[in-house]
Amino acid sequence: MTEQASWRAVAAATGAGDRARAEAGVRLAHRRAGLREPERIVWTRSPLEAVRLLSGASAKDGGEALPATGAGVRDAVRNRPVAAERARLHTRLGPTGWSDHWRATGADLWETTRPLIDRVRTGIVEALAPADREEETGIRLLLLDAVLGQHDAAWLSAFDAAPGLDGLAEVARTAGWWWPYENVAVVAERPVELHRDEAGRLDRGDGPALAYADGFALHAWRGLPVPGAFLDRLGALTAAEIREEENAELRRVMLEFYGYDRYLEESGAKPVHRDETGVLWRTALPGDEDVVMVEVVNSTPEPDGTSRTYWLRVPPTTTTAREGVAWTFGLNAEAYEPLRQT
C-alpha cells in the first residue's frame, strides 16, 4: 500500500483503535511541542461526547466532571509544527514544487474530508446549542480547540515522516478528534460506521451515513444532510408525497430515490416532443422547476434480444428530445449528429 493509500485508509477508518498507541502519541505530541505531558487522558465515544464533557454539560446531567484542564495548547501541539513543516517544504520545493507535491499527496483526500469535518461540527452545534446563540459561540470555540486526529490525514500525508509530527501521526492512525490542554487531553474514538458514495460524499438511504458508539449520527443522501426520520419514509414513498413536500432539496432526494422515470409515469406526465433520438417528457413540480426527461432506447440489443430504455434528466428549458440528448454530451442540438445511437 502506498503512503497516500495508507493515509486514505486512516481517514476512513472505523471502529475502536489502539488506545495505548493513541495515548503514547498524545504524550509524544506534547513533548515535541516543548510541553509537559498531560496529567490525565480521558476517552469519549464521539466528538459530541467530548464537547459535552468539556462544556460542563455532562456534569450538569449528573455525569463525569473534568478536572481543571488548563489552557488549550492546540496551537503549540498542532498548528505551529504543521506550519513549520509546510514552510520547510515550500522553501525546499518552491511555490510550484509545493503545489505539485500537495496535489500528489493530500489535495484529493482533503477535498473529501473537509466536508465531513464541517458536517461533524455542524451536527455538534445543532445537538448542543440548537437555539442559544451565546451557547453556540462557546461550542464553536471548543471545536476550534480540537486536533482532528484521523481527519488530519490529508495534511499528514503531505508531511509524511516529518519527525516533528510523529506524535500527531500516531494519534491520527489510532483515534479520532482530540483536545490537548495543559493538564488534560480528551480523545474521541473513531466512528463505528461511515458510508460514502463514489464521489466520497456521505451517503446512505437506510440509516446513518456516519455514526459513533454513543449514538451521535449524521444522515445524508449523496452528500445532502437529511433528517433520520426522513430516510425512514423513503421506502413507502408515493408520487403524491413527493409533490406535497415543501422542501425543494428533500424533494429532489425523494425523486432520486423513487426514480424519475417512475415518478413521470405515476404523476401523469405527458410527452411534449418526439423525434428520432427519443421522447421528451415533462411534468410540473409545485414550487420547483419542472421535471424534464428524455426517454431513449439503446439501439444495440441486449444479449436476450431486448432493447433497453434509458431515462436522461435534462434542463427544464429543453424543448426537443434531440436538444436534451445533445445536452448530455455537452453539445447543442445542431452539433449533435450521432453515427449510431447507444
Side-chain angles (χ1 to χ4, degrees):
M1 183 183 293
T2 66
E3 290 296 337
Q4 281 67 49
S6 174
W7 281 113
R8 283 195 295 272
V10 166
T14 57
D18 186 325
R19 287 194 174 191
R21 282 183 59 190
E23 291 182 8
V26 168
R27 295 187 178 98
L28 178 58
H30 276 248
R31 294 198 305 273
R32 293 291 191 209
L35 302 170
R36 61 180 174 80
E37 297 178 6
E39 298 168 5
R40 184 177 175 192
I41 298 176
V42 178
W43 283 84
T44 63
R45 294 169 294 173
S46 76
L48 173 64
E49 190 171 80
V51 173
R52 290 189 80 252
L53 186 64
L54 288 162
S55 69
S58 293
K60 291 177 184 175
D61 295 337
E64 179 184 10
L66 275 179
T69 62
V73 294
R74 180 184 190 271
D75 209 38
V77 167
R78 193 266 183 198
N79 292 357
R80 290 178 202 160
V82 167
E85 182 60 19
R86 184 183 184 281
R88 187 186 69 80
L89 280 176
H90 196 277
T91 299
R92 180 166 68 85
L93 301 174
T96 301
W98 159 252
S99 180
D100 291 343
H101 175 72
W102 174 241
R103 284 197 299 270
T105 54
D108 289 344
L109 181 55
W110 182 240
E111 285 304 308
T112 56
T113 304
R114 180 172 54 183
L116 176 59
I117 294 166
D118 291 341
R119 284 294 316 279
V120 171
R121 286 173 174 157
T122 299
I124 291 171
V125 170
E126 290 175 347
L128 297 181
D132 188 323
R133 295 300 297 273
E134 184 176 344
E135 193 170 2
E136 177 183 333
T137 299
I139 297 302
R140 292 191 182 279
L141 289 174
L142 283 174
L143 288 169
L144 292 177
D145 284 341
V147 179
L148 300 179
Q150 69 179 125
H151 294 154
D152 260 336
W155 295 100
L156 294 168
S157 171
F159 306 138
D160 194 67
L165 304 180
D166 49 357
L168 293 174
E170 187 70 354
V171 183
R173 290 189 179 100
T174 52
W177 295 19
W178 61 288
W179 281 256
Y181 293 92
E182 289 177 326
N183 304 324
V184 176
V186 177
V187 186
E189 293 278 13
R190 299 180 302 202
V192 293
E193 288 190 74
L194 174 63
H195 301 270
R196 290 175 163 176
D197 63 11
E198 62 281 355
R201 302 171 298 186
L202 287 177
D203 178 49
R204 189 180 179 190
D206 60 352
L210 180 73
Y212 288 86
D214 65 337
F216 176 46
L218 301 174
H219 296 79
W221 174 265
R222 297 181 183 175
L224 178 69
V226 296
F230 169 80
L231 293 177
D232 295 338
R233 298 164 47 198
L234 294 182
L237 274 179
T238 66
E241 286 178 308
I242 295 172
R243 284 194 300 273
E244 292 165 4
E245 174 58 55
E246 296 180 356
N247 184 304
E249 288 188 329
L250 294 183
R251 187 191 295 135
R252 291 190 182 101
V253 173
M254 295 164 81
L255 279 166
E256 288 185 8
F257 191 92
Y258 195 72
Y260 286 99
D261 52 341
R262 181 182 171 196
Y263 179 77
L264 285 172
E265 180 181 353
E266 297 184 11
S267 64
K270 304 294 183 184
V272 296
H273 184 265
R274 187 187 307 265
D275 59 29
E276 72 279 5
T277 65
V279 182
L280 185 72
W281 295 80
R282 178 184 298 272
T283 189
L285 273 178
D288 203 349
E289 63 185 24
D290 290 355
V291 174
V292 181
M293 301 192 76
V294 181
E295 177 188 4
V296 297
V297 177
N298 190 348
S299 59
T300 303
E302 299 294 313
D304 63 0
T306 61
S307 294
R308 187 173 179 181
T309 299
Y310 292 90
W311 293 82
L312 311 173
R313 191 173 188 193
V314 296
T317 54
T318 304
T319 57
T320 70
R322 174 179 289 275
E323 180 187 354
V325 174
W327 177 84
T328 67
F329 289 99
L331 301 171
N332 57 40
E334 293 73 24
Y336 177 64
E337 293 291 342
L339 296 176
R340 181 179 63 149
Q341 268 185 268
T342 58

